[in-house]
């Protein structure tokens, strides 16, 4: 059976530093997989490599059985992989609506001619882009719609910026969504709500999700599978319950137990 | 601003002398600098009020006024106590002006006793004569001390006047000067409207307002300004408050009105106004194109003139019988189409190698390309094809089948430029609000993220280059057909720079801004070679361009008529504060702390 995403022997080095090495794993359609690991473990690098921002040193990445290694980020997105950023990177001076509209770029096709002659097809597509954007934004309740649609993104609170970033990723109509610490900086109530929404992203929108997260409650609540990275090396994979009692994982997070040290 | 408390006016002689001397010294340096670059002497030929006041003196008089005003400005911070502007501030202005006058006093004494005309070309009797108004050293010195002190005081008293009075005074003076500057244009227009008698009444025979008419004009301008006060703002607010069909209706009315004015007015205007407007239009075309590249896509292209050159040369080669190598002598319209295609190709050819560079590197490389194109046309190597420095002459006018527009027919050229400007505005407007326009904005904001969101940044940026090049080629073709010849030296780096200044001063990314920028800069000061209303400035206009650019960067970086987006961007703090006052923001700071505290509790 073929997998949605397959990572084969992936290695990434930054001038001597092994940010990732010997990474082998796969993601199946409809899964929610969490990638965890201490700071600097290489989690974000892993996402950057998939989305084409970082070139792997060796190994391969297959998406629906096709290699996506060496593709430009926009080509990767067009194939159906969307992402968010750990340090929220919206288009701050574009409105909330425009942020979501612009992300539909690779799913739309009207060009200069359509815009200049205001063809029927152009108007229809613009209308669809707007409708889509509104529909996606209303997934997050009333926070990002209404009068908010025309406000620049920089007025949003931190939590709302994270939500908008997810909305923007949704707008590229992906098969696979990479969320880099989606609940970082949110309060418990917001966290619980977003955890629920991540579940809905799969059940209602049909996205497969890979998520980097430090908040273990979120990891426990939503993920089918957990992958643990430490110093660029995968040290454990499995369900949350298996992984959380794995001695290597405990060691990576808490340090070597005292009795072993002597 | 209501928070600011007002303390009673401070004691009159309790002055901040350091402040006064600092501004006074800067004022003195400015006065001497302006005098020595030759501005007063050059502008002395242009009379504002005949025979009392020439533009040359105005170029000196505004300096003490400004510094008097600046020196007596209090920086008001919220919650701080500020003294009410009063007599003390007026004296601050007076002393600042007086200090400033010593610059000219030293200059007069220096010119009287030493001769250093060698490095300083404007040093010498003519300037001395001008500064002393030919009445001898003593009168000159005392005169300037008194004048400068008075002007400084006048500048400072602007703080003291009530808003209404300030409005009256400033509109009377500015209105009078504007009417005087517009003399040639008004004169030109009056002939069409059979209003020569009015012009004869207002203006003196040898240029400038007469003493009597100056006073009348000032009064009329002040009255108009007082009567119109707030009305324009209100109308604007009303318009923007409209919604749906009513708004649409008024937009159509406004559009039709503007269109009617720009179409009908030139019929009454003579050659002067029409050729002035044609200059404005050609630079408007260029600025609209550059606005797409710089303002929307955020690509700082300093070699934009290259596309102007490609458009111009293509049209010249294709239409002129004098073209040295290949002279098909086709009509203007097919030639224009070919030029557009060639400019588009040039856009791709220059764009492709530089597009992957960012920021400063891209600016430098495009700067190089701009010069390379000019030098190629200039070179002996391509002389057999493009005529080298002699260029291509004898370019015919525009043949449209049903009518012919020769380059010497200012009205025809104006309509031609108008049609293309309208087209360019339409193109900019439509593209801005399209999928492509949005991708440009995203690239300007964050190129890497734009790419990760599925935008093919290379294609989008190349499109910006191509659209910009096409608009520039319109300008190039029209200019060549109008002038009837083309030379490599019409495409100096200076052209790129001036177009960029127009875009920046007008307002980057804003179509109305670019239009206003073209009128103000090209219309009043003139283009690199094209004279504006103030043609006496000659090459000094570059000084004004530079000073204006510095001033705008400091005081109004978003431009004269900014796009909403850019003013938000540059005034984010204020915007956020407004949102806060309106209760639009969300405070989530306190919640975040609990979040991180609890987050740590739940680890593996
Ligand atoms: N572009 C780069 N150049 C050089 N080194 C890099 C680069 N990007 C990441 N690294 C290094 O690679 C390692 C892994 O970084 P990465 O950002 O992937 O960690 P992370 O697991 O996401 O950590 P965190 O939990 O703090 O987000 C770090 O040591 C980092 O310094
Ligand atoms: Mg990270």
């Amino acid at each position: 059976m073929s997998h949605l995403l397959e990572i084969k022997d992936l290695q990434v080095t930054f001038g001597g530093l092994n940010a990732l090495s010997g990474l082998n794993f796969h993601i199946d359609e409809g899964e929610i997989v969490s990638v965890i690991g201490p700071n600097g473990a290489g989690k974000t690098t892993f996402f950057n490599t998939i989305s084409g921002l970082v070139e792997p040193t060796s190994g391969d990445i297959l998406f629906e059985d096709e290699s996506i290694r060496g593709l430009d980020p926009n080509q990767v997105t067009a194939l159906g992989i969307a992402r968010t950023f750990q340090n929220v990177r919206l288009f701050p001076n574009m409105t909330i609506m425009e942020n979501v509209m612009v992300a539909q770029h690779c799913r739309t096709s009207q060009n200069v001619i359509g815009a200049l002659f205001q063809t029927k097809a152009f108007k229809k597509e613009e209308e669809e882009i707007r409708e889509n954007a509104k529909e996606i934004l209303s997934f997050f309740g009333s926070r990002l719609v209404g009068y908010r649609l025309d406000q620049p993104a920089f007025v949003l609170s931190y939590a709302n910026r994270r939500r908008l970033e997810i909305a923007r990723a949704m707008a590229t109509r992906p098969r696979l969504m990479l969320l880099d610490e989606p609940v970082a900086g949110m309060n418990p109530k917001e966290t619980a709500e977003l955890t629920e929404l991540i579940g809905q992203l799969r059940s209602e929108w049909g996205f497969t999700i890979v998520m980097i997260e430090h908040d273990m409650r979120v990891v426990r609540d939503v993920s089918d599978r957990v992958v643990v990275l430490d110093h660029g090396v995968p040290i454990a994979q499995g369900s949350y319950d298996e992984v959380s009692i794995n001695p290597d994982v405990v060691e990576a997070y808490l340090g070597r137990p005292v009795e072993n040290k002597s | 601003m209501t928070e600011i408390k007002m303390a009673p006016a401070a004691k009159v002689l309790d002055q901040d002398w350091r402040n006064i001397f600092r501004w006074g010294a800067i004022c003195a340096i400015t006065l001497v600098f302006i005098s020595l670059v030759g501005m007063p002497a050059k502008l002395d030929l242009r009379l504002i009020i005949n025979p009392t006041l020439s533009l040359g003196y105005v170029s000196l008089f505004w300096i003490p006024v400004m510094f008097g005003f600046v020196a007596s400005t209090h920086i008001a911070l919220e919650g701080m106590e500020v003294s009410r502007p009063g007599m003390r501030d007026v004296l601050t202005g007076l002393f600042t002006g007086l200090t400033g006058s010593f610059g000219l006093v030293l200059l007069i004494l220096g010119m009287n006793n030493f001769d250093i005309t060698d490095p300083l070309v404007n040093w010498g009797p003519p300037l001395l004569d001008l500064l002393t108004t030919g009445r001898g050293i003593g009168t000159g010195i005392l005169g300037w001390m008194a004048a400068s002190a008075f002007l400084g005081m006048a500048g400072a008293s602007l703080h003291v006047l009530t808003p209404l009075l300030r409005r009256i005074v400033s509109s009377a003076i500015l209105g009078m000067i504007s009417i005087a500057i517009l003399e040639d244009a008004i004169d030109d227009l009056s002939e069409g409207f059979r209003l020569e008698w009015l012009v004869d009444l207002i203006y003196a025979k040898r240029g400038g307002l007469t003493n009597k008419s100056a006073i009348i004009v000032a009064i009329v301008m002040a009255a108009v300004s007082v009567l119109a006060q707030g009305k324009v703002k209100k109308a604007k607010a009303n318009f923007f408050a409209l919604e749906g069909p009513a708004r649409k209706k008024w937009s159509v009315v406004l559009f039709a009105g503007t269109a009617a004015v720009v179409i009908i007015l030139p019929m009454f205007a003579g050659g002067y106004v029409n050729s002035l407007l044609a200059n404005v239009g050609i630079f408007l075309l260029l600025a609209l194109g550059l606005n797409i590249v710089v303002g929307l896509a955020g690509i700082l292209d300093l070699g934009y003139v290259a596309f102007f050159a490609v458009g111009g040369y293509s049209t010249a080669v294709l239409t002129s019988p004098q073209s040295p190598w290949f002279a098909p002598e086709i009509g203007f319209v097919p030639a224009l189409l070919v030029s557009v295609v060639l400019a588009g190709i040039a856009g791709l050819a220059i764009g492709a190698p530089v597009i992957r560079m960012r920021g400063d590197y891209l600016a430098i490389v495009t700067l190089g390309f701009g010069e390379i194109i000019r030098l190629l046309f200039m070179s002996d190597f391509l002389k057999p094809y493009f005529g080298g420095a002699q260029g291509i002459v004898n370019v015919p006018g525009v043949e449209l089948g049903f009518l012919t527009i020769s380059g010497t027919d200012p009205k025809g050229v104006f309509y031609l430029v108008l049609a293309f400007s309208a087209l360019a505005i339409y193109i900019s407007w439509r593209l801005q609000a399209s999928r492509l326009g949005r991708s440009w904005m995203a690239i300007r904001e964050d190129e890497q993220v734009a790419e990760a969101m599925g935008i093919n940044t290379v294609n989008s940026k190349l499109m910006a280059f191509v659209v910009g090049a096409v608009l520039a080629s319109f300008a190039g073709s029209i200019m060549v057909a109008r002038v009837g010849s083309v030379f490599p030296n019409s495409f100096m780096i200076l052209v790129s720079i001036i177009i960029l200044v127009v875009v920046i001063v007008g307002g980057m990314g804003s179509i109305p801004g670019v239009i206003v920028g073209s009128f103000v800069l090209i219309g009043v000061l003139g283009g690199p070679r094209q004279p504006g209303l103030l043609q006496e400035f000659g090459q000094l206009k570059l000084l004004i361009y530079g000073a204006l650019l510095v001033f705008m960067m400091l005081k109004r970086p978003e431009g004269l008529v900014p796009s909403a987006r850019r003013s938000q961007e540059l005034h984010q703090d204020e915007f956020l504060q407004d949102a806060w006052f309106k209760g639009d923001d969300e405070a989530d700071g306190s919640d975040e702390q609990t979040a991180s505290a609890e987050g740590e509790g739940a680890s593996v």
Side-chain angles (χ1 to χ4, degrees):
Chain A
M1 191 198 116
S2 73
H3 307 294
L4 183 64
L5 185 79
E6 198 169 348
I7 314 291
K8 286 186 174 166
D9 274 328
L10 192 69
Q11 183 176 19
V12 177
T13 31
F14 292 118
L17 174 89
N18 269 340
L20 282 178
S21 59
L23 189 59
N24 270 301
F25 88 110
H26 61 83
I27 290 152
D28 286 319
E29 181 96 50
E31 273 192 303
I32 297 185
V33 177
S34 291
V35 179
I36 63 172
N39 291 115
K43 305 179 298 290
T44 300
T45 306
F46 173 54
F47 272 18
N48 286 346
T49 318
I50 299 177
S51 54
L53 294 169
V54 168
E55 176 88 358
T57 317
S58 67
D60 206 353
I61 306 169
L62 304 181
F63 183 68
E64 299 184 303
D65 295 330
E66 305 257 349
S67 172
I68 56 169
R69 194 181 158 177
L71 292 187
D72 287 338
N74 64 303
Q75 292 169 312
V76 175
T77 309
L79 284 176
I81 303 181
R83 68 168 295 175
T84 66
F85 294 86
Q86 180 174 359
N87 50 340
V88 188
R89 286 171 78 176
L90 294 166
F91 303 119
N93 295 298
M94 292 171 76
T95 65
I96 288 155
M97 183 75 165
E98 284 169 340
N99 264 280
V100 183
M101 286 171 83
V102 78
Q104 298 175 44
H105 195 88
C106 61
R107 301 286 170 243
T108 46
S109 58
Q110 283 297 319
N111 53 18
V112 179
I113 306 295
L116 291 187
F117 295 101
Q118 295 284 299
T119 56
K120 269 223 178 77
F122 174 83
K123 283 187 181 161
K124 188 159 156 271
E125 190 183 279
E126 283 288 299
E127 191 52 42
E128 278 168 12
I129 292 175
R130 286 180 173 279
E131 290 307 316
N132 274 337
K134 278 189 196 152
E135 190 192 334
I136 290 168
L137 285 168
S138 47
F139 177 63
F140 298 91
S142 61
R143 296 188 189 88
L144 298 177
V145 291
Y147 75 101
R148 274 275 151 80
L149 286 176
D150 296 320
Q151 288 199 317
F154 68 74
V155 305
L156 290 178
S157 73
Y158 191 71
N160 274 341
R161 286 183 206 184
R162 285 220 172 272
R163 292 186 186 107
L164 179 55
E165 229 198 2
I166 296 176
R168 197 176 60 177
M170 290 163 73
T172 66
R173 272 187 251 154
R175 308 267 317 269
L176 174 67
M177 208 173 200
L178 310 175
L179 304 177
D180 199 340
E181 306 200 8
V183 303
M186 288 193 178
N187 67 30
K189 208 172 111 232
E190 291 166 332
T191 304
E193 195 203 311
L194 196 71
T195 312
E196 184 138 320
L197 289 183
I198 291 173
Q200 287 175 15
L201 282 178
R202 169 171 63 178
S203 59
E204 287 174 18
W205 295 76
F207 301 137
T208 305
I209 293 168
V210 184
M211 174 177 85
I212 295 175
E213 194 42 74
H214 282 295
D215 187 330
M216 287 306 149
R217 251 182 274 170
V218 179
V219 174
R220 186 187 62 206
D221 289 350
V222 296
S223 39
D224 302 325
R225 215 141 52 82
V226 178
V227 180
V228 190
L229 290 182
D230 187 26
H231 293 299
V233 187
I235 55 172
Q237 293 196 31
S239 71
Y240 176 80
D241 295 327
E242 286 164 28
V243 164
S244 61
I245 51 167
N246 184 318
D248 289 339
V249 176
V250 177
E251 189 185 308
Y253 269 89
L254 302 177
R256 202 172 276 267
V258 184
E259 58 268 24
N260 281 14
K261 219 174 193 176
S262 53
Chain B
M1 290 306 274
T2 44
E3 308 293 322
I4 294 167
K5 291 182 206 131
M6 287 286 194
K11 276 206 200 88
V12 169
L13 278 177
D14 179 19
Q15 298 279 355
D16 178 358
W17 295 105
R18 269 189 61 176
N19 180 48
I20 289 175
F21 288 132
R22 195 178 67 208
W23 287 115
I26 302 176
C27 175
I29 292 169
T30 316
L31 282 167
V32 172
F33 175 76
I34 295 281
S35 305
L36 284 179
V37 296
M39 201 179 284
K42 210 158 194 173
L43 300 186
D44 196 36
L45 303 173
R46 177 71 176 252
L47 293 170
I48 297 289
I49 304 173
N50 193 357
T52 330
L53 184 65
S54 77
L55 198 58
Y57 287 101
V58 173
S59 75
L60 290 175
F61 285 164
W62 68 274
I63 298 169
V65 176
M66 187 183 81
F67 283 101
F69 181 82
V70 172
S72 55
T73 303
H74 297 284
I75 299 162
L77 296 175
E78 230 152 296
M80 243 171 72
E81 233 175 55
V82 179
S83 55
R84 192 181 300 279
M87 213 39 219
R88 172 180 177 269
D89 300 302
V90 174
L91 280 182
T92 307
L94 186 140
F95 290 128
T96 308
L98 191 64
T99 316
S101 73
F102 285 106
L104 287 182
V105 170
L106 289 179
L107 186 65
I108 290 171
L109 288 174
M111 281 196 290
N112 198 32
N113 296 312
F114 308 98
D115 179 19
I116 44 172
T117 314
D118 190 6
L120 301 171
V121 278
N122 291 308
W123 183 283
L127 183 59
L128 187 61
D129 244 24
L130 185 94
L131 289 179
T132 58
T133 61
R135 292 197 182 85
I137 307 291
T139 327
I141 288 175
L142 288 177
W144 274 110
M145 283 167 69
S148 182
F150 172 77
L151 291 167
M153 194 174 79
S157 23
L158 285 178
H159 291 297
V160 184
L161 297 180
T162 62
L164 183 69
L165 268 175
R166 194 162 20 184
R167 193 186 180 90
I168 290 176
V169 171
S170 51
S171 48
I173 294 176
L174 292 180
M176 189 189 78
I177 293 180
S178 310
I179 294 285
I181 287 174
L182 284 168
E183 178 176 354
D184 290 339
I186 292 176
D187 189 23
D188 194 67
L189 275 174
S190 70
E191 278 165 39
F193 288 104
R194 304 253 155 274
L195 288 174
E196 286 102 329
W197 56 269
L198 188 66
V199 172
D200 290 339
L201 205 71
I202 298 179
Y203 296 110
K205 276 229 167 47
R206 284 176 45 249
L209 299 163
T210 60
N211 282 336
K212 240 185 260 162
S213 72
I215 293 167
I216 294 169
V217 166
I219 290 172
V220 170
M221 291 314 262
V224 167
S225 139
V226 169
L227 289 179
Q229 180 180 20
K231 293 230 170 80
V232 177
K233 236 185 202 160
K234 218 163 148 193
K236 214 167 135 189
N238 279 343
F239 174 73
F240 283 113
L242 290 175
E243 269 173 31
R247 169 114 183 227
K248 206 159 192 177
K249 196 181 98 192
W250 277 104
S251 305
V252 171
V253 170
L254 276 178
F255 177 77
T258 321
V261 170
V262 289
I263 291 175
I264 294 170
L265 195 67
M267 295 187 184
F268 294 97
Y272 181 80
V273 168
N274 274 318
S275 70
L276 194 78
L277 289 177
N279 280 337
V280 172
I282 286 177
F283 276 84
L284 175 60
L285 279 172
L286 290 166
L288 283 168
L290 190 64
N291 180 47
I292 287 177
V293 183
V294 180
L296 295 186
I299 308 168
L300 185 54
D301 178 2
L302 294 182
Y304 188 64
V305 71
F307 307 123
F308 187 37
V310 170
Y313 264 97
S314 318
T315 305
V317 167
L318 291 170
T319 56
S320 165
Q322 227 79 327
S323 165
W325 152 65
F326 171 68
E329 291 186 56
I330 58 178
F332 180 79
V333 177
L336 178 82
L337 293 177
V338 177
S339 306
V340 165
V341 173
L342 288 178
I345 293 172
L348 285 177
I350 294 185
V354 305
I355 218 87
R356 288 183 183 271
M357 284 177 235
R358 302 215 166 150
D360 311 349
Y361 301 102
L362 187 135
I364 302 283
V365 174
T366 49
L367 188 75
F369 269 111
E371 272 299 90
I372 288 172
I373 297 269
R374 180 178 72 87
L375 290 172
L376 277 179
F377 283 128
M378 184 91 138
S379 64
D380 285 341
F381 169 63
L382 291 179
K383 189 166 181 177
Y385 308 99
F386 300 112
Q390 277 82 51
I392 301 173
V393 291
N394 239 335
V395 182
V398 178
E399 186 73 59
L400 288 178
F402 57 96
L403 97 158
T404 316
I405 301 171
S406 85
T408 46
D409 165 22
K411 232 173 259 184
V413 173
F414 171 80
Y415 282 116
L416 190 67
V417 172
L418 180 68
F420 278 96
S421 300
L423 181 64
I425 291 172
Y426 178 80
I427 292 177
S428 308
W429 175 52
R430 285 303 193 194
L431 288 186
Q432 211 172 334
S434 76
R435 174 173 171 264
L436 185 62
R438 283 191 295 270
S439 75
W440 287 335
M441 288 189 279
I443 290 171
R444 197 179 76 98
E445 298 268 295
D446 190 333
E447 198 169 334
Q448 203 181 25
V449 176
E451 196 168 12
M453 288 301 128
I455 294 167
N456 187 334
T457 50
V458 173
N459 279 359
S460 278
K461 291 203 295 185
L462 275 180
M463 271 319 284
F465 253 82
V466 170
V467 175
V470 165
L471 295 190
S473 73
F474 287 168
S477 300
I478 296 173
M479 194 199 71
V480 167
R482 174 188 182 204
V483 181
S485 57
V486 62
F487 305 103
N489 280 345
S490 317
F491 307 107
M492 302 279 255
I493 267 183
L494 188 59
V495 181
S496 294
I497 305 288
I498 288 199
I499 303 164
L500 190 63
V501 176
V502 169
V503 173
I504 291 174
V505 170
M508 274 213 243
S510 144
I511 300 171
V514 171
I515 298 174
V516 170
S518 312
F519 270 93
V520 170
L521 292 181
I522 308 300
V524 178
L525 288 172
R529 279 154 184 264
Q530 296 74 4
L533 279 173
L534 288 175
Q535 46 188 317
E536 285 80 5
F537 270 106
Q539 287 310 305
L540 285 175
K541 69 186 157 207
L542 296 182
L543 183 69
I544 312 271
Y545 270 113
L548 192 64
L549 198 57
V550 173
F551 177 80
M552 291 297 288
M553 288 297 99
L554 289 175
K555 288 291 168 199
R556 210 178 150 87
E558 68 272 31
L560 291 173
V561 188
S563 69
R565 196 184 309 278
R566 237 186 118 64
S567 39
Q568 273 167 16
E569 182 176 346
L570 289 162
H571 299 282
Q572 253 187 37
D573 301 349
E574 289 152 51
F575 191 83
L576 284 173
Q577 248 174 33
D578 283 355
W580 185 76
F581 276 127
K582 282 189 265 165
D584 279 359
D585 89 315
E586 317 142 332
D588 54 355
S590 56
D591 291 345
E592 255 170 52
Q593 284 169 3
T594 43
S596 58
E598 293 206 13
E600 272 161 23
S603 84
V604 186

